Amino acid sequence: MRAVYDEIGEVLADEGVSTVAAVLFDLGVSSLQLDEADRGFAYAQDAPLDMRMSQDAGRTAADVLNTYDERELERVLREYGEERFARRIAREVVARREQLPFERSADLVELLRRAIPAASQRTGGHPGKRTFQALRIEVNGELDAWRAALPAAIAALGVGGRIAVLSYHSLEDRITKQALAAGARSTTPPDLPVELPEHAPYLRLLTRGAETADPTETETNPRATPARLRAAERIRATEEPRP
């Protein structure tokens, strides 16, 4: 079914599926999409600043750069790109767009080369890496969709069902870690002598922390380097309605 992650509950309902035995989320962006020059994902190729996963509707990366105020641009770059120079870049973007709106990725890369100190460029990789990632996440609402999708998927698991998540961004992994850890933790008040059944954990963690790709895999497939795998099993039913 073609759907966004957070539509999992609606898709299952439409198909008449009450519970599932397994859910696998691969939160990585399709390499095929990243490598399409005309989509604007890649900072190494000049292209229109689009970055939409689905080009049917919605704002583009150019829209974000040309309409967000300086503070909001800084927030996007700092939060989603973990960009140290978010404030400087946001200020430069606003100043530049007053003269000429952003349309193509090469325009943004040129600005980033000027805004980011040369020393950081020598040690931190391509200057566009973090900004392009942040814009992609913002344009596609990736983190908002993930925050809604994960609890819906956990709610759909039958007892004995398992969920596995491959994430590639620290914020995605943090959301996953917190949700799975919450399900694996008792909520019985500490002053009670026995655990109440309704407060017992409903998940069992299957990974010790986050598992990562081994050196052999990352050598042949560098895009696997940031991947983090977490998994859990549902061990009891809960009465809460699906999100």
Side-chain angles (χ1 to χ4, degrees):
M1 304 292 292
R2 180 179 177 179
V4 182
Y5 290 143
D6 58 359
E7 296 173 332
I8 184 171
E10 299 168 26
V11 170
L12 292 176
D14 290 344
E15 294 297 303
V17 177
S18 57
T19 59
V20 297
V23 179
L24 168 64
F25 284 105
D26 183 341
L27 305 182
V29 182
S30 165
S31 294
L32 295 176
Q33 286 184 317
L34 286 178
D35 293 338
E36 286 184 20
D38 61 347
R39 300 293 288 276
F41 288 112
Y43 42 76
Q45 303 176 58
D46 184 30
L49 279 164
D50 192 314
M51 298 195 192
R52 292 173 297 175
M53 298 295 184
S54 173
Q55 295 179 300
D56 297 335
R59 62 178 173 243
T60 66
D63 294 331
V64 172
L65 291 169
N66 291 325
T67 62
Y68 280 27
D69 64 33
E70 185 175 325
R71 181 172 296 181
E72 188 65 4
L73 280 172
E74 179 186 347
R75 181 197 65 80
V76 169
L77 298 177
R78 191 179 305 281
E79 183 174 340
Y80 297 158
E82 299 175 295
E83 173 56 70
R84 291 170 52 204
F85 303 102
R87 179 171 299 177
R88 182 184 300 185
I89 293 169
R91 185 170 59 246
E92 293 281 349
V93 166
V94 171
R96 194 267 189 190
R97 77 188 187 196
E98 290 178 356
Q99 306 299 321
L100 190 65
F102 286 90
E103 295 181 356
R104 301 189 66 83
S105 57
D107 300 330
L108 179 57
V109 170
E110 180 184 353
L111 178 143
L112 293 170
R113 290 194 185 280
R114 293 198 312 269
I116 297 176
S120 294
Q121 294 187 40
R122 286 194 294 270
T123 59
H126 194 285
K129 179 171 61 177
R130 294 180 178 82
T131 293
F132 274 66
Q133 172 183 274
L135 289 172
R136 190 204 76 218
I137 291 174
E138 174 67 11
V139 165
N140 296 287
E142 294 176 27
L143 291 179
D144 290 337
W146 183 229
R147 289 188 183 97
L150 184 54
I154 293 171
L157 283 178
V159 175
R162 295 186 169 195
I163 181 168
V165 179
L166 271 169
S167 57
Y168 299 79
H169 185 279
S170 61
L171 291 177
E172 293 172 340
D173 184 54
R174 189 181 308 161
I175 293 167
T176 305
K177 175 184 177 180
Q178 291 172 346
L180 298 186
R185 185 170 56 241
S186 172
T187 57
T188 299
D191 56 340
L192 291 183
V194 295
E195 183 171 69
L196 302 175
E198 64 270 26
H199 291 282
Y202 54 88
L203 293 178
R204 178 172 67 88
L205 300 182
L206 300 175
T207 52
R208 196 179 189 89
E211 295 188 5
T212 59
D214 61 37
T216 302
E217 180 173 359
T218 56
E219 184 176 345
T220 57
N221 178 23
R223 285 178 175 172
T225 303
R228 299 290 182 271
L229 172 67
R230 296 183 187 271
E233 178 182 354
R234 179 175 275 280
I235 55 176
R236 74 172 178 87
T238 54
E239 297 181 359
E240 294 84 359
R242 291 184 185 178

Coordinates of all heavy atoms in Angstrom, one line a residue, residues 122-171:
R122 N 37.2 21.4 6.2 CA 38.3 20.4 6.0 C 38.1 19.2 6.9 O 38.5 18.1 6.5 CB 39.6 21.1 6.4 CG 40.1 22.0 5.3 CD 41.6 22.4 5.5 NE 41.8 23.1 6.8 CZ 41.8 24.5 6.9 NH1 41.5 25.2 5.8 NH2 42.0 25.1 8.0
T123 N 37.5 19.3 8.1 CA 37.3 18.2 9.0 C 35.9 17.6 9.0 O 35.7 16.5 9.5 CB 37.7 18.6 10.4 OG1 36.9 19.7 10.8 CG2 39.2 19.0 10.5
G124 N 34.9 18.4 8.6 CA 33.6 18.0 8.8 C 32.9 17.5 7.5 O 31.7 17.2 7.5
G125 N 33.6 17.2 6.4 CA 33.0 16.8 5.2 C 32.4 17.9 4.4 O 32.7 19.1 4.7
H126 N 31.6 17.5 3.4 CA 31.0 18.5 2.6 C 30.1 19.5 3.4 O 29.4 19.1 4.2 CB 30.1 17.8 1.5 CG 29.8 18.7 0.4 ND1 28.8 19.7 0.5 CD2 30.2 18.8 -0.9 CE1 28.7 20.3 -0.7 NE2 29.5 19.8 -1.6
P127 N 30.3 20.8 3.1 CA 29.5 21.8 3.9 C 28.0 21.7 3.7 O 27.3 22.3 4.5 CB 30.1 23.2 3.3 CG 30.6 22.8 2.0 CD 31.1 21.4 2.1
G128 N 27.6 21.1 2.6 CA 26.1 21.0 2.4 C 25.5 19.8 3.1 O 24.2 19.7 3.2
K129 N 26.2 18.9 3.7 CA 25.7 17.6 4.2 C 24.6 17.8 5.2 O 23.5 17.3 5.1 CB 26.8 16.8 4.8 CG 26.4 15.5 5.4 CD 27.6 14.7 5.8 CE 28.5 15.4 6.9 NZ 29.6 14.5 7.3
R130 N 24.8 18.6 6.2 CA 23.9 18.8 7.3 C 22.7 19.6 6.9 O 21.5 19.4 7.3 CB 24.6 19.4 8.5 CG 25.6 18.4 9.2 CD 26.3 19.1 10.4 NE 27.2 18.1 11.0 CZ 28.5 17.9 10.6 NH1 28.9 18.6 9.5 NH2 29.2 17.1 11.2
T131 N 22.9 20.7 6.1 CA 21.8 21.6 5.7 C 20.9 20.9 4.8 O 19.7 21.0 4.9 CB 22.4 22.8 5.1 OG1 23.1 23.6 6.0 CG2 21.3 23.7 4.4
F132 N 21.4 20.1 3.8 CA 20.6 19.4 2.9 C 19.7 18.3 3.7 O 18.6 18.1 3.3 CB 21.4 18.7 1.8 CG 21.7 19.6 0.6 CD1 22.5 20.8 0.8 CD2 21.1 19.4 -0.6 CE1 22.7 21.6 -0.3 CE2 21.4 20.2 -1.7 CZ 22.2 21.4 -1.5
Q133 N 20.3 17.7 4.6 CA 19.6 16.7 5.4 C 18.4 17.4 6.2 O 17.3 16.9 6.2 CB 20.5 16.0 6.4 CG 19.8 15.1 7.4 CD 20.7 14.5 8.4 OE1 21.3 13.5 8.2 NE2 20.9 15.1 9.6
A134 N 18.7 18.5 6.8 CA 17.7 19.2 7.6 C 16.6 19.7 6.7 O 15.4 19.5 7.1 CB 18.4 20.4 8.2
L135 N 16.9 20.2 5.5 CA 15.8 20.6 4.6 C 14.9 19.4 4.2 O 13.7 19.5 4.1 CB 16.4 21.3 3.4 CG 17.0 22.7 3.7 CD1 17.8 23.2 2.4 CD2 16.0 23.7 4.1
R136 N 15.6 18.3 3.9 CA 14.8 17.1 3.4 C 13.9 16.7 4.5 O 12.7 16.4 4.3 CB 15.8 16.0 3.1 CG 15.1 14.8 2.4 CD 15.9 13.5 2.7 NE 15.8 13.0 4.0 CZ 16.7 12.5 4.8 NH1 18.0 12.4 4.3 NH2 16.5 12.0 6.0
I137 N 14.3 16.7 5.8 CA 13.5 16.2 6.9 C 12.3 17.2 7.1 O 11.2 16.8 7.3 CB 14.3 16.1 8.2 CG1 15.3 14.9 8.1 CG2 13.4 16.0 9.4 CD1 16.3 14.8 9.2
E138 N 12.6 18.5 7.0 CA 11.6 19.5 7.2 C 10.5 19.4 6.0 O 9.3 19.5 6.3 CB 12.2 20.9 7.2 CG 11.2 22.1 7.2 CD 10.4 22.1 8.5 OE1 10.7 21.4 9.5 OE2 9.4 22.9 8.5
V139 N 11.0 19.4 4.8 CA 10.1 19.3 3.6 C 9.1 18.2 3.7 O 7.9 18.3 3.4 CB 10.9 19.3 2.3 CG1 10.0 18.9 1.1 CG2 11.6 20.6 2.1
N140 N 9.6 17.0 4.1 CA 8.8 15.8 4.1 C 8.1 15.5 5.5 O 7.4 14.5 5.6 CB 9.6 14.6 3.7 CG 10.1 14.8 2.2 OD1 9.3 14.7 1.3 ND2 11.4 15.1 2.1
G141 N 8.3 16.3 6.5 CA 7.7 16.1 7.8 C 8.1 14.8 8.4 O 7.3 14.1 9.0
E142 N 9.4 14.3 8.1 CA 9.7 13.0 8.5 C 9.6 12.7 10.0 O 9.1 11.6 10.4 CB 11.2 12.7 8.0 CG 11.3 12.7 6.5 CD 12.7 12.5 6.0 OE1 13.5 11.9 6.7 OE2 13.0 13.0 4.9
L143 N 10.1 13.6 10.8 CA 10.1 13.3 12.3 C 8.7 13.3 12.8 O 8.3 12.5 13.7 CB 11.0 14.3 13.0 CG 12.5 14.1 12.7 CD1 13.3 15.1 13.5 CD2 12.9 12.7 13.1
D144 N 7.8 14.2 12.4 CA 6.4 14.3 12.8 C 5.7 13.0 12.4 O 5.0 12.4 13.2 CB 5.7 15.5 12.2 CG 6.2 16.8 12.8 OD1 6.8 16.8 13.9 OD2 6.0 17.8 12.1
A145 N 6.0 12.5 11.2 CA 5.3 11.3 10.8 C 5.8 10.1 11.6 O 5.0 9.2 12.0 CB 5.6 11.0 9.3
W146 N 7.1 10.1 12.0 CA 7.7 9.0 12.8 C 7.1 9.0 14.2 O 6.8 8.0 14.8 CB 9.2 9.1 12.8 CG 9.8 7.9 13.5 CD1 10.8 8.0 14.4 CD2 9.6 6.6 13.3 NE1 11.2 6.8 14.9 CE2 10.4 5.9 14.2 CE3 8.7 5.8 12.5 CZ2 10.4 4.5 14.3 CZ3 8.7 4.5 12.6 CH2 9.5 3.8 13.5
R147 N 7.0 10.2 14.8 CA 6.4 10.3 16.1 C 5.0 9.7 16.2 O 4.6 9.1 17.2 CB 6.4 11.7 16.6 CG 7.8 12.3 16.9 CD 7.7 13.7 17.6 NE 9.0 14.3 17.8 CZ 9.5 15.2 17.0 NH1 8.9 15.6 15.9 NH2 10.7 15.7 17.2
A148 N 4.3 9.8 15.1 CA 2.9 9.3 15.1 C 2.9 7.8 14.7 O 2.0 7.0 15.2 CB 2.0 10.1 14.2
A149 N 3.8 7.4 13.8 CA 3.7 6.1 13.3 C 4.2 5.0 14.3 O 3.6 3.9 14.3 CB 4.6 6.0 12.0
L150 N 5.2 5.3 15.1 CA 5.8 4.3 15.9 C 4.7 3.8 17.0 O 4.5 2.6 17.1 CB 7.0 4.8 16.6 CG 7.8 3.9 17.5 CD1 8.1 2.6 16.8 CD2 9.0 4.5 18.1
P151 N 4.1 4.7 17.7 CA 3.1 4.1 18.7 C 1.9 3.4 18.0 O 1.4 2.5 18.5 CB 2.6 5.4 19.4 CG 3.0 6.6 18.6 CD 4.2 6.1 17.9
A152 N 1.6 3.9 16.8 CA 0.5 3.2 16.0 C 0.9 1.8 15.7 O 0.1 0.8 15.7 CB 0.1 4.0 14.8
A153 N 2.2 1.6 15.3 CA 2.7 0.3 14.9 C 2.8 -0.6 16.1 O 2.4 -1.8 16.1 CB 4.1 0.4 14.2
I154 N 3.2 -0.1 17.2 CA 3.3 -0.9 18.5 C 1.9 -1.3 18.9 O 1.7 -2.5 19.3 CB 4.0 -0.1 19.6 CG1 5.5 0.2 19.2 CG2 3.9 -0.8 20.9 CD1 6.2 1.1 20.2
A155 N 1.0 -0.4 18.8 CA -0.4 -0.8 19.2 C -1.0 -1.9 18.3 O -1.9 -2.6 18.7 CB -1.3 0.5 19.1
A156 N -0.5 -2.0 17.0 CA -1.0 -3.0 16.1 C -0.4 -4.4 16.3 O -1.0 -5.3 15.8 CB -0.8 -2.5 14.7
L157 N 0.6 -4.4 17.1 CA 1.3 -5.7 17.3 C 0.5 -6.6 18.2 O 0.0 -6.2 19.2 CB 2.7 -5.5 18.0 CG 3.8 -5.0 17.1 CD1 5.1 -4.9 18.1 CD2 4.2 -6.0 16.0
G158 N 0.3 -7.9 17.7 CA -0.3 -8.9 18.6 C 0.7 -9.4 19.6 O 1.9 -9.2 19.4
V159 N 0.3 -10.1 20.6 CA 1.2 -10.7 21.6 C 2.1 -11.6 20.9 O 1.7 -12.5 20.1 CB 0.5 -11.3 22.7 CG1 1.4 -12.0 23.7 CG2 -0.4 -10.3 23.5
G160 N 3.4 -11.5 21.1 CA 4.4 -12.3 20.4 C 4.9 -11.6 19.1 O 5.9 -12.1 18.6
G161 N 4.2 -10.6 18.7 CA 4.7 -9.8 17.5 C 5.9 -9.0 17.8 O 6.2 -8.6 18.9
R162 N 6.6 -8.7 16.8 CA 7.9 -8.0 16.9 C 8.0 -6.8 16.0 O 7.4 -6.8 14.9 CB 9.1 -9.0 16.6 CG 9.2 -10.1 17.6 CD 10.4 -11.0 17.4 NE 10.6 -11.9 18.5 CZ 11.8 -12.5 18.7 NH1 12.8 -12.4 17.9 NH2 11.9 -13.3 19.7
I163 N 8.7 -5.8 16.5 CA 8.9 -4.6 15.7 C 10.4 -4.4 15.6 O 11.1 -4.5 16.6 CB 8.2 -3.4 16.3 CG1 8.4 -2.1 15.4 CG2 8.6 -3.1 17.7 CD1 7.5 -1.0 15.8
A164 N 10.9 -4.0 14.4 CA 12.3 -3.7 14.2 C 12.4 -2.4 13.5 O 11.6 -2.2 12.5 CB 13.0 -4.8 13.4
V165 N 13.3 -1.5 13.9 CA 13.4 -0.2 13.3 C 14.9 0.1 12.9 O 15.8 -0.1 13.8 CB 12.9 0.9 14.3 CG1 13.1 2.3 13.7 CG2 11.5 0.6 14.7
L166 N 15.1 0.4 11.7 CA 16.4 0.9 11.2 C 16.3 2.4 11.0 O 15.5 2.9 10.2 CB 16.7 0.2 9.9 CG 17.5 -1.1 9.9 CD1 17.5 -1.7 8.5 CD2 18.9 -0.9 10.4
S167 N 17.0 3.1 11.8 CA 17.0 4.6 11.7 C 18.4 5.1 11.3 O 19.4 4.4 11.5 CB 16.6 5.3 13.0 OG 17.4 4.9 14.0
Y168 N 18.5 6.3 10.7 CA 19.7 6.8 10.2 C 20.1 8.2 10.7 O 21.0 8.8 10.2 CB 19.7 6.8 8.6 CG 19.5 5.4 8.0 CD1 18.2 4.8 8.0 CD2 20.6 4.7 7.5 CE1 18.1 3.5 7.5 CE2 20.4 3.4 7.0 CZ 19.2 2.9 7.0 OH 19.0 1.6 6.4
H169 N 19.2 8.7 11.6 CA 19.4 10.0 12.1 C 19.3 9.9 13.6 O 18.4 9.2 14.1 CB 18.4 10.9 11.5 CG 18.5 12.4 11.9 ND1 18.0 12.9 13.1 CD2 19.0 13.4 11.2 CE1 18.3 14.2 13.1 NE2 18.9 14.5 12.0
S170 N 20.0 10.7 14.4 CA 20.0 10.6 15.8 C 18.7 10.9 16.4 O 18.3 10.3 17.4 CB 21.1 11.5 16.4 OG 20.8 12.9 16.1
L171 N 17.9 11.8 15.8 CA 16.6 12.2 16.3 C 15.6 11.0 16.1 O 14.8 10.7 17.0 CB 16.1 13.5 15.7 CG 16.8 14.7 16.2 CD1 16.3 16.0 15.4 CD2 16.8 14.9 17.7

